[in-house]
């Protein structure tokens, strides 16, 4: 599976949640990864007690066996085990790493590998390793949150009552990016805990809400006067 989308849409948080709840392996790719470095990271996460071999061939076998063991354990618990590689741009741009994952691990173990990154990851995978790209069973693209999503996030995350007009203002100011929505909710919550009653635009007028991701400047709550 390939999961892509702009930064701040909640990809990493969603995948962290899924990995924790399913006992899945989750690692973050590094800019200068090599096949050996990637495999050592996987082995360290799977079983830190195992001393990795130096040879890539033997190291691959160690990872294979550790993945198979974890897969069996999670299957016995009824969990959907898989491997999540977040920030996976360095992986999809390196044919050797992709082919190691595909041929030595994924195809043999029949374990799903989830590659997550920004919106270029899909085209990079197709360009570098079209054969691996053809094996992708599902592409999942994250989009900005809707107003309804922002309402739900406000209800779930904010500990003060927020008026509908401020929720709508937050949605517009955040452009639907979950990271910015959460930043705005923290500002609203701080304000609400120091001021009585529901928090709306009128109450929070001219107060800081969040920072603009493009300019870094403060976005203030502004009432329509």
């Amino acid at each position: 599976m390939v999961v892509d989308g702009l930064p701040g849409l909640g990809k990493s948080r969603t995948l962290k949640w899924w990995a924790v709840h399913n006992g899945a392996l989750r690692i973050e790719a590094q800019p200068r990864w090599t096949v050996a470095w990637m495999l050592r990271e996987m082995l360290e996460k799977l079983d830190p007690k195992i001393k990795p071999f130096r040879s890539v061939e033997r190291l691959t076998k160690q990872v294979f066996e550790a993945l198979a063991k974890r897969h069996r354990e999670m299957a016995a618990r009824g969990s959907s085990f898989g491997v999540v590689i977040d920030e996976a741009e360095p992986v999809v741009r390196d044919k050797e790493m992709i082919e190691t994952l595909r041929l030595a691990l994924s195809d043999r173990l029949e374990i799903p590998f989830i590659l997550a990154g920004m919106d270029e990851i899909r085209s990079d995978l197709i360009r570098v390793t079209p054969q691996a790209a053809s094996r992708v069973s599902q592409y999942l693209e994250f989009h900005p949150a809707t107003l309804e999503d922002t309402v739900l996030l406000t209800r779930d995350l904010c500990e003060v009552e927020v008026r509908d007009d401020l929720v709508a203002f937050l949605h517009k100011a955040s452009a639907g990016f979950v990271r910015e929505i959460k930043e705005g909710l923290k500002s609203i919550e701080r304000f609400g805990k120091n001021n009585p009653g529901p928090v709306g635009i009128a109450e929070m007028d001219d107060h800081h809400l969040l920072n603009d991701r493009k300019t870094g400047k403060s976005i203030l709550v502004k009432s329509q006067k």
Side-chain angles (χ1 to χ4, degrees):
M1 178 185 290
V2 171
V3 177
D4 60 5
L6 294 171
L9 294 176
K11 300 185 301 299
S12 293
R13 188 173 182 85
T14 300
L15 290 170
K16 284 179 183 177
W17 179 91
W18 182 84
V20 168
H21 281 74
N22 288 282
L25 172 64
R26 179 186 172 275
I27 54 177
E28 290 186 7
Q30 302 300 315
R32 296 181 181 179
W33 253 13
T34 61
V35 171
W37 185 356
M38 175 182 70
L39 292 172
R40 285 196 299 269
E41 289 270 344
M42 294 174 71
L43 189 61
E44 171 69 21
K45 290 274 187 175
L46 288 163
D47 191 343
K49 296 179 182 178
I50 300 176
K51 184 178 180 179
F53 288 119
R54 291 188 177 182
S55 115
V56 171
E57 182 180 354
R58 298 178 72 187
L59 181 56
T60 302
K61 185 177 180 181
Q62 285 181 303
V63 173
F64 177 90
E65 292 172 349
L67 280 172
K69 180 182 177 183
R70 177 73 68 84
H71 187 201
R72 290 193 298 270
E73 292 171 350
M74 293 303 106
R77 299 179 189 179
S79 297
S80 301
F81 179 71
V83 177
V84 176
I85 302 181
D86 207 354
E87 310 291 343
E89 285 81 1
V91 177
V92 301
R93 291 168 185 162
D94 188 297
K95 186 174 183 179
E96 188 179 3
M97 280 197 281
I98 282 291
E99 293 294 19
T100 298
L101 293 177
R102 182 177 73 88
L103 294 172
L105 301 175
S106 180
D107 284 0
R108 293 178 61 199
L109 289 166
E110 297 186 348
I111 292 174
F113 276 68
I114 302 169
L115 304 174
M118 291 189 291
D119 49 357
E120 307 92 12
I121 192 173
R122 189 181 308 195
S123 57
D124 284 345
L125 182 62
I126 294 170
R127 175 178 55 82
V128 175
T129 49
Q131 188 172 3
S134 69
R135 295 293 189 94
V136 175
S137 62
Q138 187 172 358
Y139 287 95
L140 179 63
E141 182 180 358
F142 273 56
H143 294 276
T146 64
L147 176 58
E148 290 74 17
D149 295 328
T150 307
V151 170
L152 291 173
L153 285 166
T154 303
R155 289 175 182 172
D156 289 344
L157 300 178
C158 196
E159 295 181 3
V160 299
E161 187 177 352
V162 187
R163 297 187 190 277
D164 292 344
D165 62 348
L166 185 53
V167 175
F169 186 93
L170 172 61
H171 174 70
K172 184 176 181 180
S174 67
F177 286 96
V178 175
R179 188 179 300 165
E180 277 79 355
I181 292 173
K182 291 171 65 179
E183 180 187 348
L185 289 175
K186 288 180 180 178
S187 298
I188 294 169
E189 191 173 271
R190 282 195 297 269
F191 180 90
K193 287 183 175 180
N194 291 294
N195 294 274
V199 183
I201 289 179
E203 289 78 16
M204 207 172 164
D205 187 33
D206 213 32
H207 283 75
H208 171 80
L209 182 65
L210 54 90
N211 291 313
D212 188 293
R213 68 162 43 201
K214 294 181 179 179
T215 66
K217 294 181 179 180
S218 176
I219 296 178
L220 305 179
V221 177
K222 291 292 183 181
S223 61
Q224 301 295 323
K225 296 180 180 179

